[in-house]
């Protein structure tokens, strides 16, 4: 069991699967549900192979400090990006991610009616959106060795999103993506900060694992403060 | 391939920002002041987040 990882992992996966579903839905209108879901399954299969291969390779011969450092830096790269994007969007500096726009753009790319090109768009969409899920699953599982539990958490998120999406047959626009990205970004940066410093300096965090909660509170509160400061500045909304 | 790398690591600014966070932590740990890094790293991390968000 890897309980500290459940929430960030589930939420990260949910957001990414919502974006993947929008692409799969758009492609299904051109090549049908069977082929579109088949392409998504192929993308998912590639991610599963990637997870097993990278997990096996990274677990071999590396000591815990090196693994922690690599994971910490990866999580910082991921979390800093998500938190910065969520802050920029909440402050109005960047346009919110819109599933309807994503859906229309994907439909536009499919206008030529090429079956294989459409299949590839669904495959690539699933693969690229799922890369961040792969990263989080590998990062947390290398630390906890709870591969099955972490993998299952991501798959449960996938099933929930796709079942909901297939039920409404429309982009899942009501999912509060930016709020989730804000929260997950703060969580992931906290894990990245914690593990990177622990790898560099040993057990230095004053309250041990509980320091993670303090870090999360700091990044959440600090992020909200940044939003307030940026809202007062000049507006220049970018896509 | 470019989309793959960008999805994993972000753009050059993102990598530079994280490199700065790690450099601060490594520098302080290197001079035996890891106790300072406990406070400096989150502050620098938030600074990098703010810098990236405002770009």
């Amino acid at each position: 069991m890897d309980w500290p990882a459940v929430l960030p992992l589930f939420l990260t996966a949910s957001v990414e699967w919502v974006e993947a579903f929008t692409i799969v839905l758009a492609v299904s209108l051109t090549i049908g549900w069977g082929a579109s879901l088949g392409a998504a399954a192929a993308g998912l299969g590639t991610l599963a192979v990637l997870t097993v291969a990278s997990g096996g390779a990274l677990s071999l011969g590396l000591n815990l400090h090196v693994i922690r450092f690599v994971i910490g830096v990866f999580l910082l790269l991921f979390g800093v990006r998500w938190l910065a994007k969520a802050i920029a969007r909440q402050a109005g500096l960047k346009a919110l991610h819109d599933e309807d726009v994503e859906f229309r753009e994907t439909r536009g790319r499919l206008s030529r009616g090429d079956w294989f090109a459409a299949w590839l768009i669904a495959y690539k969409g699933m693969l690229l959106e799922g890369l961040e899920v792969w990263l989080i699953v590998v990062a947390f599982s290398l630390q906890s060795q709870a591969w099955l539990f972490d993998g299952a958490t991501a798959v449960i998120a996938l099933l929930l999103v796709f079942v909901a999406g297939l039920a409404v047959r429309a982009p899942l626009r009501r999912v509060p993506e930016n709020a989730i990205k804000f929260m997950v970004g703060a969580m992931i940066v906290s894990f990245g900060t914690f593990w990177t410093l622990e790898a560099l300096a040993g057990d230095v965090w004053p309250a041990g694992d509980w320091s993670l909660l303090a870090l999360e509170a700091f990044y959440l509160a600090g992020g909200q403060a940044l939003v307030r400061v940026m809202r007062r500045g000049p507006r220049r909304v970018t896509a | 391939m470019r989309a793959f790398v960008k999805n994993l690591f972000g753009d050059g600014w993102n990598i530079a920002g994280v490199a700065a966070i790690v450099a601060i932590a490594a520098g302080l740990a290197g001079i035996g002041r890891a106790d300072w890094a406990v406070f400096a790293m989150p502050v620098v991390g938030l600074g990098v987040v703010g810098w990236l968000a405002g770009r």
Side-chain angles (χ1 to χ4, degrees):
Chain A
M1 299 287 177
D2 188 14
W3 294 111
V6 170
L7 195 58
L9 220 164
F10 181 81
L11 292 176
T12 303
S14 300
V15 169
E16 293 303 325
W17 298 141
V18 164
E19 293 175 13
F21 177 77
T22 301
I23 297 168
V24 172
L25 173 71
V27 170
S28 76
L29 297 179
T30 301
I31 61 175
W33 273 112
S36 185
L37 287 175
L44 199 63
T46 308
L47 287 168
V49 170
L50 207 58
T51 305
V52 173
S54 55
L58 287 171
S59 301
L60 287 175
L62 289 177
N63 70 37
L64 192 61
H65 280 297
V66 176
I67 289 176
R68 268 199 192 144
F69 182 74
V70 172
I71 293 170
V73 172
F74 261 97
L75 291 180
L76 280 174
L77 283 166
F78 177 88
V80 158
R81 188 167 82 236
W82 268 37
L83 189 55
K85 253 189 212 173
I87 288 169
R89 283 176 174 150
Q90 200 177 326
L93 300 179
K94 197 170 165 61
L96 286 169
H97 184 84
D98 188 329
E99 292 305 321
D100 285 330
V101 172
E102 176 73 40
F103 182 75
R104 281 198 299 275
E105 283 177 0
T106 307
R107 291 285 296 148
R109 278 187 283 150
L110 292 164
S111 57
R112 283 177 300 140
D114 181 343
W115 190 95
F116 185 62
W119 190 94
L120 267 183
I121 286 174
Y123 171 78
K124 211 173 119 185
M126 192 72 187
L127 186 61
L128 288 180
E129 299 299 345
L131 273 180
E132 283 166 315
V133 181
W134 163 74
L135 175 70
I136 296 292
V137 168
V138 170
F140 281 113
S141 303
L142 275 173
Q143 170 75 15
S144 64
Q145 291 301 310
W147 290 91
L148 276 179
F149 184 82
D150 292 346
T153 304
V155 171
I156 288 168
L158 171 81
L159 291 176
L160 286 175
V161 166
F162 270 65
V163 166
L166 287 170
V168 297
R169 304 252 167 154
L172 295 168
R173 64 179 78 88
R174 286 193 185 169
V175 174
E177 276 189 47
N178 205 55
I180 294 175
K181 278 197 168 175
F182 199 115
M183 201 163 71
V184 175
M187 284 180 188
I188 302 290
V189 177
S190 302
F191 276 101
T193 304
F194 185 88
W195 281 338
T196 303
L197 188 57
E198 208 170 62
L200 289 168
D203 296 329
V204 289
W205 292 101
D209 289 354
W210 291 100
S211 301
L212 272 169
L213 290 179
L215 283 170
E216 281 169 24
F218 173 78
Y219 283 118
L220 280 173
Q224 284 301 329
L226 283 172
V227 168
R228 277 194 292 276
V229 169
M230 286 176 181
R231 274 187 181 150
R232 288 196 208 115
R235 293 289 170 99
R236 44 164 182 72
V237 180
T238 57
Chain B
M1 192 62 195
R2 178 180 273 193
F4 182 89
V5 172
K6 203 173 169 192
N7 255 35
L8 282 184
F9 304 114
D11 60 12
W13 298 110
N14 192 58
I15 294 169
V18 170
I21 301 170
V22 176
I24 296 281
L28 288 171
I31 59 167
R33 299 314 315 224
D35 52 335
W36 292 0
V38 164
F39 300 99
M41 207 180 160
V43 171
V44 175
L46 193 63
V48 167
V49 167
W51 170 64
L52 288 171
R55 279 191 65 255

